[in-house]
Amino acid sequence: VAINKPAGMLSVRGKSGVRSAEEWATERYPEAMIVHRLDQSTSGILVIAKNKTAHEALQKQFISRSVKKSYVALLEGVIASVEGEIRLPLKLDYEHRPRQMVAADGRAAHTIFKVEGVENGRTRVRFYPITGRTHQLRVHAAHTAGLGTPIVGDDIYGTGGERLMLHAETIEFQHPTSGEIVSLCCKAEF
């Protein structure tokens, strides 16, 4: 099952009492398991396995990085490059959880990006994450060694205010039972 997770919904159950995609899924499919996660503030396509066998098959695809994903984001400023790659290793900033930080001893994080346009001093960019680290796209956008401008609405790495303008727009994977290639697209609302 794939859903269009709204911004503000958790992917998995949390302590805050905020509704999660995991709760939604298990109400409909008792054996459902979350395959991957999106930040609470990020909207877009979230894949959910309906049983353990499907979960294992899909997890293998995420681990092997054969799943293709793209995100759309609106950045607070205009960036110089029209396309490129960002490789900045990330780890948890223990003093300021859940903030992540760039660190030489962090886990490898790799993002490909392409600018899709500039609108009113903001850059619309498409991100193709090669790895899937916590806050990877947010840090790669905001950090001076990355794009140097945060995603609009980012309350951790930017100025906050409106909702986080980051949306998981496309995903492609092999169906866990039929073996067919599944390509999904859910356009961003911004």
Side-chain angles (χ1 to χ4, degrees):
V1 173
I3 66 166
N4 178 16
K5 186 189 85 63
M9 177 183 261
L10 293 168
S11 290
V12 296
R13 288 177 179 91
K15 297 176 185 176
S16 65
V18 173
R19 182 106 165 119
S20 72
E22 182 179 41
E23 290 169 293
W24 176 91
T26 55
E27 288 168 2
R28 287 155 182 79
Y29 311 100
E31 296 179 41
M33 300 172 78
I34 299 296
V35 177
H36 63 113
R37 298 178 185 196
L38 297 176
D39 291 343
Q40 182 177 355
S41 301
T42 303
S43 60
I45 301 172
L46 184 68
V47 177
I48 302 166
K50 290 165 67 174
N51 58 51
K52 187 175 181 174
T53 304
H55 183 264
E56 288 172 359
L58 290 165
Q59 277 284 286
K60 286 179 184 175
Q61 292 179 58
F62 274 90
I63 290 166
S64 71
R65 298 184 182 152
S66 63
V67 176
K68 297 175 185 168
K69 303 173 283 185
S70 77
Y71 292 68
V72 171
L74 202 55
L75 305 182
E76 287 185 5
V78 178
I79 60 173
S81 301
V82 294
E83 62 183 37
E85 294 185 54
I86 303 164
R87 292 177 187 261
L88 296 172
L90 303 174
K91 73 176 189 180
L92 178 64
D93 181 346
Y94 291 101
E95 304 276 321
H96 305 99
R97 291 174 188 250
R99 189 178 181 87
Q100 304 294 307
M101 63 183 187
V102 173
D105 63 340
R107 295 177 73 194
H110 182 195
T111 304
I112 295 171
F113 72 91
K114 185 173 183 178
V115 171
E116 294 191 336
V118 176
E119 308 155 9
N120 302 317
R122 294 175 166 178
T123 303
R124 180 173 295 273
V125 66
R126 183 165 301 272
F127 288 119
Y128 301 91
I130 306 304
T131 54
R133 307 290 176 231
T134 300
H135 294 183
Q136 177 177 318
L137 303 179
R138 296 166 75 169
V139 175
H140 282 183
H143 197 275
T144 55
L147 298 179
T149 185
I151 298 171
V152 172
D154 194 331
D155 60 349
I156 297 176
Y157 307 99
T159 57
E162 47 197 305
R163 70 153 278 192
L164 180 69
M165 299 296 184
L166 178 62
H167 181 80
E169 194 168 86
T170 68
I171 193 164
E172 184 177 287
F173 58 92
Q174 188 175 28
H175 191 280
T177 53
S178 73
E180 293 178 44
I181 298 299
V182 177
S183 296
L184 303 171
C185 179
C186 181
K187 293 287 186 188
E189 295 178 0
F190 54 85

